[in-house]
Amino acid sequence: LNIVYCCLFVFSLSVPFVAVHTKRYGFSALQASIALFNAINCLICLWELALYHYRTHIRETYLQLKDKWGQRLPPNFVLLDHASLSEAISLRHWSQIWAVYALLDPSYADTTTFGFWIDVGNGCFALLPSLALNVAMTFNIGPPRVVGIIGVVSNYVMMHGTFLYFASYLLNMRYKGCSRAARGVVAFSNGLWIGFPALAIYACFCVALDGSFAVVRGNT
């Protein structure tokens, strides 16, 4: 199942960091939360790269799905589909995520929209900072103030972009005709990219202000 590959990817970029951090400094719910979100964001960044590289394919697939399902999610949601390992490591395979999501918001099948470009931008620029923050928090790599400032800026950009996208989604009433479940998917996904960046901004601000990683350290 596609969702199994997603979970394995997220776990591989979060659990080792949490385990090493816990062994060194004790468990920290704040560090674990940020590490998990950064791992999820790394996965989404790869999907967002697929959004750009396979934009024509996504639009073609979206139009086919729209003719069949309208604004309803297909009963066999893409994450529950089966996939081979060779498919799972292909960006083209994951581009179908956007064709399905475009049923809920056509912005993702239209290269002229803010929604399309804000996600492409996140994919291009947020991957390395997300991974680097996990490494820095766990292994004390880099000056804390520099790490903190980079973390504040990168997470603010993510949160700010999400606010603007969600405001555009609501103002233009792109939810009209969608089911409650579909609206819930959009609200939940955007909520993640507001709540967790806000948490990371707090942690990174403390790191930058204190000049240490004390805020994300557990009780040893």
Side-chain angles (χ1 to χ4, degrees):
L1 295 178
N2 284 324
I3 195 169
V4 174
Y5 291 114
C6 294
C7 290
L8 288 174
F9 181 92
V10 170
F11 289 165
S12 69
L13 288 186
S14 59
V15 173
F17 291 110
V18 175
V20 171
H21 186 278
T22 300
K23 185 176 181 180
R24 287 187 170 194
Y25 312 108
F27 177 76
S28 166
L30 181 58
Q31 184 269 344
S33 298
I34 294 172
L36 177 61
F37 172 73
N38 283 338
I40 295 172
N41 193 53
C42 285
L43 174 64
I44 302 304
C45 283
L46 293 177
W47 289 0
E48 288 165 336
L49 293 177
L51 174 63
Y52 177 78
H53 286 290
Y54 295 102
R55 55 195 181 278
T56 301
H57 173 66
I58 289 169
R59 179 159 184 81
E60 292 171 351
T61 305
Y62 157 69
L63 292 174
Q64 294 172 2
L65 291 172
K66 184 181 179 183
D67 286 341
K68 186 174 184 180
W69 300 107
Q71 291 179 284
R72 294 175 294 133
L73 288 172
N76 293 327
F77 187 59
V78 60
L79 289 178
L80 301 180
D81 286 345
H82 290 278
S84 65
L85 180 59
S86 60
E87 289 174 324
I89 60 176
S90 164
L91 284 181
R92 182 182 175 88
H93 172 73
W94 295 105
S95 69
Q96 63 183 313
I97 291 281
W98 300 109
V100 174
Y101 191 81
L103 295 174
L104 313 183
D105 182 357
S107 296
Y108 291 91
D110 183 353
T111 59
T112 68
T113 64
F114 176 81
F116 176 89
W117 285 108
I118 193 65
D119 274 56
V120 168
N122 186 71
C124 292
F125 299 111
L127 178 60
L128 291 181
S130 294
L131 184 58
L133 185 56
N134 276 4
V135 173
M137 287 192 304
T138 304
F139 299 104
N140 273 346
I141 295 177
R145 284 194 168 89
V146 174
V147 172
I149 291 170
I150 293 174
V152 167
V153 171
S154 61
N155 281 281
Y156 173 79
V157 169
M158 276 194 286
M159 186 175 69
H160 180 250
T162 304
F163 267 123
L164 291 179
Y165 162 74
F166 197 50
S168 172
Y169 172 82
L170 294 174
L171 182 65
N172 292 290
M173 295 186 290
R174 294 196 179 101
Y175 53 82
K176 291 187 69 174
C178 293
S179 66
R180 288 185 179 180
R183 296 178 188 183
V185 168
V186 175
F188 176 75
S189 59
N190 281 273
L192 287 180
W193 265 260
I194 292 173
F196 279 100
L199 187 67
I201 289 171
Y202 160 75
C204 291
F205 181 80
C206 291
V207 169
L209 190 65
D210 299 338
S212 78
F213 292 103
V215 71
V216 293
R217 297 299 182 234
N219 296 319
T220 56

